[in-house]
Amino acid sequence: YKNNIHKNMHSEYCDRIYQYDKDFEVDGKIHVLIVGNSFARDWGNILLESDMTDHISISYSYTFDDSILERINSCDYIFAFMDKNDIPQYVWDNTDEAQVWGIGTKNFGESNGVIYARRNSEEYFNLTVELSTSYKELNELWQSWWGDNYIDLIEPVLTQDGEVRVFSDDNLFMSQDCHHLTRGGAQNYANNLDFTSIFGE
């Protein structure tokens, strides 16, 4: 809403995950290590908006390096936004393969302005966009490499016609820049993903 905004509010939301760039605490929770760029941070926000938030302890790192070896050794799950072949060998040497998951890519068109220009349409909140071929191909490639340990973030927002939803169940833009998630977008995923398929009952 216009009366509840400030500059860079959406990037601040995505980047709040930087505050979790620290070692795990001894708290009896499920230790979740998230590694990667802003798309990985989006996954962190999805987890924080979900019912899992009270059961997990998150640690974030932009990349794999020697400084997070202790975190790797003490985590229960690793989620990484990257090609599976780019996961360093020492991660596999110190972690059960079933604990390592790939975070999927996502895309919500080229510009929200194209959608906003149709705000007076009766079908406004049902508008969808065509999924870019490059994102579709990357999603399929990574899914084939990661197998069951892949977080597919395109399928949950895909329509029967193969297009991507722009608005959440609460009629909020899911992405402010067509790549990263708003809080409404993160909440939409949090409400629709099956976390038991990852963490169990």
Side-chain angles (χ1 to χ4, degrees), residues 39-100:
F39 276 42
R41 295 194 291 279
D42 274 338
W43 173 245
N45 277 319
I46 292 172
L47 289 176
L48 290 176
E49 298 290 352
S50 75
D51 291 338
M52 290 299 303
T53 188
D54 293 330
H55 307 287
I56 61 176
S57 177
I58 290 177
S59 177
Y60 168 76
S61 177
Y62 186 81
T63 186
F64 285 107
D65 58 46
D66 293 345
S67 67
I68 64 168
L69 282 177
E70 183 176 338
R71 301 188 214 178
I72 293 171
N73 292 332
S74 62
C75 72
D76 298 299
Y77 293 89
I78 296 175
F79 296 95
F81 181 79
M82 62 184 62
D83 186 322
K84 187 176 183 179
N85 295 323
D86 290 336
I87 303 291
Q89 185 58 45
Y90 61 77
V91 173
W92 303 116
D93 292 341
N94 291 278
T95 311
D96 188 317
E97 187 170 356
Q99 297 173 277
V100 185

Side-chain angles (χ1 to χ4, degrees), residues 127-180:
L127 292 176
T128 59
V129 294
E130 184 178 355
L131 179 61
S132 167
T133 301
S134 60
Y135 282 91
K136 181 179 180 181
E137 291 177 348
L138 179 61
N139 190 56
E140 291 174 349
L141 179 63
W142 280 11
Q143 193 168 42
S144 69
W145 287 347
W146 283 100
D148 291 338
N149 281 35
Y150 184 67
I151 311 296
D152 188 343
L153 296 178
I154 289 180
E155 192 278 332
V157 295
L158 212 58
T159 67
Q160 291 183 340
D161 296 331
E163 295 206 339
V164 174
R165 294 175 53 200
V166 176
F167 292 100
S168 71
D169 296 338
D170 296 325
N171 296 336
L172 300 173
F173 269 113
M174 283 195 280
S175 175
Q176 78 279 8
D177 60 1
C178 299
H179 295 91
H180 303 96

